């Protein structure tokens, strides 16, 4: 079974600074996908970024980028130029690639607070 | 294109009552997933359905919980004889049918169930 570990229950950062959230996972699969989801106080789950395991290039979405280390089974999220609206819970998630849609396995989350 | 709809947003039930949670997937999506989020926890997979079929119910408790996704109408998650431990946020996600690779899962706003 796959497991996802987020070792930082809470983090804080000053507005406009950069912050990195950690995620490690355990799997015997070779093909899979990794995701970061954001859950603001509204509780809506919002996809931030996704990474295909077969791609060596790290995914980037505007101010959000990942550092994907397949051998180390590490998938960290970097948020640059932090904004107050980035304050939320952030969940790392794993999905097997099975040729179709599969269930997501989530970590316990990191609560990020951006301070003015 | 409306997003994933869930209703009700909030549901209060007394112990022993039944709870019915509804999920209408995005237009054109034929895969539905249900997840449960306990307080201070990440989301946990419960069940994966396609129209009229349960594909994976490995995360569903064996008793009192059932799910369906009929040919017409929303997907329903039913919890019979609710207990306090069922209090949680229940999220539905949908994804499209794809030939290759996972369909991105789009989440609804969740139903917060409180058992008194």
């Amino acid at each position: 079974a796959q497991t996802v570990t987020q070792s930082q229950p809470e983090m804080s950062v000053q507005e406009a600074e950069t912050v990195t959230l950690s995620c490690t996972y355990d799997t015997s699969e070779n093909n899979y996908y990794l995701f970061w989801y954001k859950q603001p106080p509204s509780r809506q789950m919002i996809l931030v970024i996704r990474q295909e395991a077969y791609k060596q290039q790290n995914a980037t979405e505007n101010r959000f980028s990942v550092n994907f280390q397949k051998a180390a089974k590490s998938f960290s999220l970097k948020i640059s130029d932090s904004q107050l609206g980035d304050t939320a819970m952030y969940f790392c998630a794993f999905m097997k690639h099975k040729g179709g849609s599969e269930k997501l396995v989530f970590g316990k989350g990191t609560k990020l607070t951006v301070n003015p | 294109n409306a997003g994933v709809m869930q209703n009700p947003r909030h549901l209060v039930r007394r112990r022993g009552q039944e709870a019915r949670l509804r999920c209408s997937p995005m237009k054109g999506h034929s895969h539905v997933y249900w997840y449960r989020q306990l307080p201070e926890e990440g989301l946990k997979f419960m069940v994966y359905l396609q129209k009229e079929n349960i594909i994976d119910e490995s995360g569903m408790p064996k008793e009192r919980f059932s799910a369906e996704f009929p040919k017409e109408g929303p997907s329903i998650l039913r919890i019979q004889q609710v207990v306090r431990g069922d209090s949680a946020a229940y999220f539905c996600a949908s994804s499209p049918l794809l030939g290759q690779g996972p369909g991105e899962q789009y989440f609804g706003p969740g139903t917060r169930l409180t058992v008194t």
Side-chain angles (χ1 to χ4, degrees), chain B residues 28-103:
Chain B
H29 286 193
S30 56
H31 303 246
V32 166
Y33 303 79
W34 285 94
Y35 295 85
R36 176 165 66 176
Q37 184 178 31
L38 296 170
E40 310 301 323
E41 294 281 326
L43 279 70
K44 294 272 196 303
F45 168 78
M46 298 182 74
V47 62
Y48 163 34
L49 309 104
Q50 293 179 19
K51 287 281 188 183
E52 300 184 282
N53 282 307
I54 296 175
I55 306 302
D56 181 356
E57 55 182 346
S58 58
M60 192 94 101
K62 292 286 186 278
E63 296 179 355
R64 302 187 298 108
F65 285 73
S66 62
E68 62 178 14
F69 188 17
K71 188 175 179 181
E72 302 290 337
S75 175
I76 306 285
L77 179 68
R78 183 182 291 111
I79 311 172
Q80 296 178 303
Q81 299 174 341
V82 296
V83 301
R84 287 221 172 98
D86 297 332
S87 295
Y90 291 83
F91 288 90
C92 168
S94 73
S95 69
L97 176 65
L98 293 181
Q100 291 285 336

Side-chain angles (χ1 to χ4, degrees), chain A residues 11-17 19 63 79 81-88 90 111-116:
Chain A
M11 291 193 73
S12 62
V13 64
Q14 291 300 121
E15 198 175 4
E17 298 290 309
V19 64
R63 298 183 295 107
I79 306 174
D81 186 25
S82 298
Q83 300 176 1
L84 296 178
D86 295 334
T87 292
Y90 286 82
K111 183 177 181 180
L112 176 67
T113 302
V114 180
N115 298 309

Side-chain angles (χ1 to χ4, degrees), chain A residues 5 9 18 21-22 24 28 35 37 48 63 66 76 79 90 110 116:
Chain A
T5 302
T18 294
L21 309 184
S22 301
T24 58
S28 58
F35 304 84
Y37 278 87
V48 175
R63 298 183 295 107
V66 298
S76 60
I79 306 174
Y90 286 82
T110 296

Side-chain angles (χ1 to χ4, degrees), chain A residues 4-11 21-24 36 107-110:
Chain A
V4 176
T5 302
Q6 293 179 250
S7 58
Q8 305 151 316
E10 293 192 40
M11 291 193 73
L21 309 184
S22 301
C23 173
T24 58
W36 279 97
K108 289 193 172 185
T110 296

Side-chain angles (χ1 to χ4, degrees), chain A residues 33 37 39 42-45 47 50 91 95 97 99-104 106-108, chain B residues 33 35 37 41-43 45 48 58 89 91 95 99 102-105 107-109 112:
Chain A
Y33 296 78
Y37 278 87
Q39 187 179 45
S42 67
R43 303 189 70 85
Q44 177 75 50
M45 293 291 287
L47 178 65
R50 69 180 253 173
F91 294 98
M95 177 195 285
H97 177 133
S101 198
E102 275 288 342
K103 64 187 179 188
L104 289 162
F106 286 89
K108 289 193 172 185
Chain B
Y33 303 79
Y35 295 85
Q37 184 178 31
E41 294 281 326
L43 279 70
F45 168 78
Y48 163 34
S58 58
F91 288 90
S95 69
E104 185 174 304
Q105 292 186 24
F107 281 81
R112 184 186 288 274

